[in-house]
Amino acid sequence: MRSERRGNGLLRCPYHGWTYNEEGVPVGIPGNSEWFGLDRSARRALALPSIAVASCGNLVFARISPEGPSLEEFFGAYHTIFARASAALSSPYTEGTITWRCNWKIGIESAIEGYHLDMVHPTTFKPFVAPVLPASWNGDHSLGPSLLAEPAQQSLERIEARLGLERLEVCERYDHYLVFPNLCVTVTAGLTLSLQTYEPTAPDATRLRFWLLTGASAKPALREGIMGKAVLGAFADFNAQVLAEDQTISERVQAGKSYTPLPPACLGGNEDRIQAFHMAWRRAMAL
């Protein structure tokens, strides 16, 4: 199967070159007449299983299971905001993949609570937000909002004006959504959209993928010019620094779990999203 990040064409196995049509039927089999002798009926019997695909705004999701809720049912109350945010904030400016040497659930913990800001992000993320607001839940999903600190709000407003960025008016805070189990969606001041997935690759390894986007610009020459590249580059650097700080502490937590028998965690009221996440995970594993 071709696996370019963009522009994939034919569905072709990179190992032996079998090529499949849009119905998943192998229509191109190297050496078929010599070694397989598969007629049309036999090829149809080897069709790949289909998966459900649905979109929410500019976000596209696939469901491997043949049965399950629709995307609207799965997102629930978040479906409308995700659709609006992904459609309005659809101009990418950076993306990346990082490997963290920790369990993926530790990575999720670093994303869904603000208790660690003083210790882990004292000069980066901590000054960016005002005190974290109470979380709310939508089934197993959750929202952790925060007001923006006044200097950060003013800086974003200046950037919005200078680059002519379009703003999603319904989002004025820092709104961090966890789509259970491992997708984080963040809308900041209606100006930027962040998507993160935490994918387990081993019991002590996580592949973190991220994408950062903004709205379109009424001043495209400025957005694509020196000023725009500098501003969006600073956004990207800020994101990279915060992720690096979370990676460092998450990997230290993983190492500590490996060496020390620990008592059960003592979670405070400001870590309620962590507790809810693990309860949801335990329910999912009991199915």
Side-chain angles (χ1 to χ4, degrees):
M1 182 185 301
R2 292 182 64 184
S3 57
E4 287 84 352
R5 297 184 65 81
R6 295 180 180 83
N8 290 276
L10 294 173
L11 186 62
R12 177 175 291 148
C13 172
Y15 199 3
H16 297 108
W18 283 37
T19 303
Y20 299 80
N21 66 13
E22 66 276 7
E23 297 178 338
V25 177
V27 293
I29 303 175
N32 182 41
S33 59
E34 296 91 340
W35 300 305
F36 297 96
L38 300 173
D39 60 17
R40 178 177 298 182
S41 175
R43 292 199 303 271
R44 281 200 164 275
L46 293 173
L48 300 172
S50 61
I51 60 175
V53 176
S55 61
C56 175
N58 282 354
L59 304 177
V60 180
F61 296 85
R63 189 188 68 215
I64 297 175
S65 173
E67 299 180 353
S70 67
L71 203 54
E72 291 86 349
E73 293 170 333
F74 180 71
F75 284 152
Y78 297 163
H79 187 271
T80 298
I81 186 61
F82 289 171
R84 294 185 63 180
S86 63
L89 307 174
S90 60
S91 298
Y93 62 92
T94 193
E95 61 183 82
T97 302
I98 314 168
T99 296
W100 289 13
R101 302 307 304 180
C102 67
N103 186 273
W104 71 277
K105 295 186 291 297
I106 294 175
I108 290 291
E109 289 183 4
S110 76
I112 61 175
E113 54 92 345
Y115 187 31
H116 68 286
L117 298 187
D118 287 345
M119 294 296 295
V120 179
H121 310 294
T123 63
T124 52
F125 196 70
K126 171 65 175 176
F128 185 74
V129 295
V132 177
L133 301 175
S136 61
W137 281 265
N138 171 24
D140 290 335
H141 314 315
S142 65
L143 165 62
S146 177
L147 299 177
L148 294 170
E150 187 172 347
Q153 182 69 52
Q154 293 173 349
S155 177
L156 289 171
E157 289 173 356
R158 289 194 296 270
I159 291 169
E160 174 190 4
R162 290 175 182 174
L163 299 185
L165 296 178
E166 296 181 1
R167 176 191 288 269
L168 184 63
E169 294 295 342
V170 296
C171 300
E172 298 180 350
R173 310 173 302 187
Y174 175 85
D175 286 340
H176 181 281
Y177 298 87
L178 171 66
V179 179
F180 181 83
N182 67 335
L183 169 64
C184 293
V185 180
T186 306
V187 183
T188 304
L191 290 177
T192 67
L193 175 65
S194 167
L195 305 170
Q196 295 178 346
T197 59
Y198 293 77
E199 305 168 9
T201 57
D204 60 352
T206 299
R207 180 169 55 222
L208 190 158
R209 302 178 189 267
F210 66 88
W211 300 261
L212 299 178
L213 309 94
T214 66
S217 173
K219 304 174 184 178
L222 283 178
R223 185 188 188 279
E224 301 303 323
I226 295 175
M227 179 184 294
K229 290 180 179 178
V231 170
L232 297 180
F235 282 0
D237 290 345
F238 178 81
N239 178 74
Q241 181 61 40
V242 172
L243 287 180
E245 292 166 351
D246 277 332
Q247 177 180 1
T248 297
I249 195 64
S250 296
E251 292 179 348
R252 290 177 66 184
V253 170
Q254 179 70 45
K257 286 176 62 65
S258 301
Y259 301 138
T260 309
L262 298 174
C266 176
L267 297 175
N270 54 350
E271 298 171 291
D272 48 359
R273 291 180 81 194
I274 289 181
Q275 183 178 21
F277 164 72
H278 282 287
M279 290 176 65
W281 181 247
R282 293 181 66 179
R283 288 193 299 270
M285 291 296 95
L287 295 179

